[in-house]
Amino acid sequence: QMQLVQSGPEVKRPGTSVKVSCEASGFSFVSSAVQWVRQARGQGLEWIGRIAVGSGDTGFAQKFQERVTITRDMATSTVYLDLSSLRSEDTAVYFCAAIRWGAVSGMDVWGQGTTVTVSS
Amino acid sequence: QSALTQPASMSESPGQSITISCTGTRIDLDDYNSVSWYQQHPGKAPKLIIYDVNNRPSGVSARFSASKSGSTASLTISGLQAEDEADYFCCSYTSSGTVVFGGGTKLTVL
């Protein structure tokens, strides 16, 4: 079945970086765009950015542009989110989600979420 | 990028219908037909229930329908059931190629 499996929870100090992985299976990885979305406890969804897997083209929300990197590894069908200069406000559950080109133009495959806690 | 505006909470009785609104601006909702809606139960990942304004993915109940007029999109759930109690988020592409979500609506089925 189609799925995205994310890496485990992270606890980080302020000012450091975190790298979260998202491994795809069960669908055409190269024909997808993987989004990263985060959700602080009790809050709404916030889009961070995306990567078009085939081209490697990326796009980011303005507030994250200076400190986020999204990459992909075609050999392992994995997308990575790298967020630097962490602060307490970055504490949230981070989700990856895929838009499958030629299927439905919405995020119809989601990862289970990765909890990132930023605390001194 | 401002979030799309949704009512924070709504409630309705089982069997009734409810419509959740999602208001944006010309640069996000008005010019595009890329509105999607997501349902999220507590502790779970969001689930796509509507894409491209009014299309349901395979397996999503026909009780869910949606529309858009100008800068306002709407999600209607008919024949409310207890399992529909969840958070609902609208989502749209913007003219700059980014994505914006609504603040979310907590639906209570009384």
Side-chain angles (χ1 to χ4, degrees), chain B residues 52-105:
Chain B
D52 286 351
V53 177
N54 57 8
N55 293 279
R56 285 187 312 277
S58 174
V60 173
S61 171
R63 297 185 299 102
F64 293 92
S65 62
S67 62
K68 184 173 82 75
S69 178
S71 298
T72 299
S74 300
L75 171 71
T76 297
I77 311 172
S78 58
L80 278 167
Q81 301 177 359
E83 68 207 47
D84 299 331
E85 185 162 297
D87 294 326
Y88 292 85
F89 296 91
C90 59
C91 177
S92 178
Y93 283 104
T94 74
S95 58
S96 58
T98 60
V99 170
V100 63
F101 283 97
T105 298

Side-chain angles (χ1 to χ4, degrees), chain A residues 12-18 38 63-64 66-69 82-91 94 118:
Chain A
K12 294 291 183 180
R13 299 294 190 201
T16 64
S17 299
V18 68
R38 76 180 186 181
K63 71 177 283 187
F64 297 104
E66 299 298 318
R67 59 189 187 105
V68 68
T69 304
D82 206 317
L83 187 62
S84 62
S85 302
L86 291 168
R87 35 221 191 217
S88 59
E89 310 90 87
D90 293 318
T91 295
Y94 288 73
V118 182

